[in-house]
Amino acid sequence: MSNLKQYIRSIPDFPKPGITFYDITTLIQHPKGLELALDGMETYVRRIGADRVVGIESRGFVFGAALADRLDLGLSIARKPGKLPSKTITEAYELEYGTDRLEMHEDSIQPGEKVVVVDDLIATGGTLLAVCRMVERLKGEVVGISSVIGLTFLPFAEKLKGYDLDYLVSYDSE
Ligand code: AMP
């Protein structure tokens, strides 16, 4: 899906020097860009046969919600701490400096459900791993991970080994 790349804007030195930020706002602003991305994700999720979509705050919500609607599935969400009003579980993950956490409602996954976890971009894979762990603690089965972008110069494949992983475009150098 290399034609998707034309819709993704690369911003050097954001949010800090040395990091290239892959900006999907330009992709979702464009009807064709959004459609192409969702077509690719939909094809993958139909193949793996999920019965629930989990979207990660906040760009994972954009793709996750549209995908769930296309597939006639429910959407569950993983949010930053303190945002979800009912009983939650939480999982920490490592950032470059320190750690962060995500939360899910305890009743957002039913035992035995086949779940696809959705985000916009996989860098180290730490965010996705934290969400996969929460899904499993809630007795769901992670049947796949779907992302628009994979930064293949980072070792996310190792971190997420054992999970079925799909991304539509990759960047293989910083
Ligand atoms: P990670 O946990 O390292 O895989 O980071 C993935 C999360 O951070 C995703 O939710 C991305 O939206 C965001 N992210 C990390 N690196 C970048 C980047 N270079 N450009 C855009 N978003 C990024």
Side-chain angles (χ1 to χ4, degrees):
M1 270 230 175
S2 56
N3 48 350
L4 253 192
K5 276 194 179 174
Q6 68 186 294
Y7 300 105
I8 298 167
R9 174 165 59 185
S10 304
I11 313 235
D13 300 318
F14 185 88
K16 56 186 181 187
I19 303 283
T20 301
F21 192 89
Y22 295 97
D23 178 18
I24 54 87
T25 64
T26 43
L27 182 146
I28 63 177
Q29 270 165 217
H30 200 293
K32 199 70 204 166
L34 184 59
E35 184 186 2
L36 267 178
L38 290 169
D39 285 350
M41 294 171 114
E42 181 182 349
T43 300
Y44 171 68
V45 180
R46 285 195 189 281
R47 179 163 65 73
I48 60 171
D51 36 48
R52 173 166 301 281
V53 177
V54 169
I56 305 178
E57 186 167 1
S58 56
R59 282 164 275 161
F61 293 174
V62 174
F63 297 100
L67 199 53
D69 183 62
R70 278 187 176 208
L71 294 160
D72 205 19
L73 299 176
L75 173 74
S76 299
I77 56 178
R79 296 211 64 182
K80 310 252 165 78
K83 304 280 188 186
L84 291 170
S86 188
K87 278 196 176 163
T88 57
I89 62 165
T90 184
E91 193 78 38
Y93 58 99
E94 280 175 34
L95 299 173
E96 201 175 345
Y97 302 102
T99 60
D100 210 343
R101 283 188 305 120
L102 283 166
E103 295 180 346
M104 290 180 74
H105 272 146
E106 274 180 4
D107 59 2
S108 61
I109 305 287
Q110 299 308 307
E113 275 186 326
K114 295 182 190 311
V115 171
V116 61
V117 183
V118 174
D119 206 355
D120 68 323
L121 180 144
I122 317 172
T124 66
T127 308
L128 276 159
L129 183 61
V131 175
C132 290
R133 285 191 172 142
M134 283 192 282
V135 169
E136 288 163 354
R137 282 167 58 194
L138 296 171
K139 310 259 186 289
E141 181 194 352
V142 177
V143 291
I145 292 171
S146 176
S147 175
V148 181
I149 301 168
L151 301 187
T152 46
F153 56 89
L154 294 170
F156 65 77
E158 179 63 21
K159 183 162 265 179
L160 296 169
K161 114 178 138 239
Y163 293 108
D164 200 272
L165 193 58
D166 186 73
Y167 43 90
L168 305 175
V169 298
S170 61
Y171 293 89
D172 57 15
S173 63
E174 283 176 76

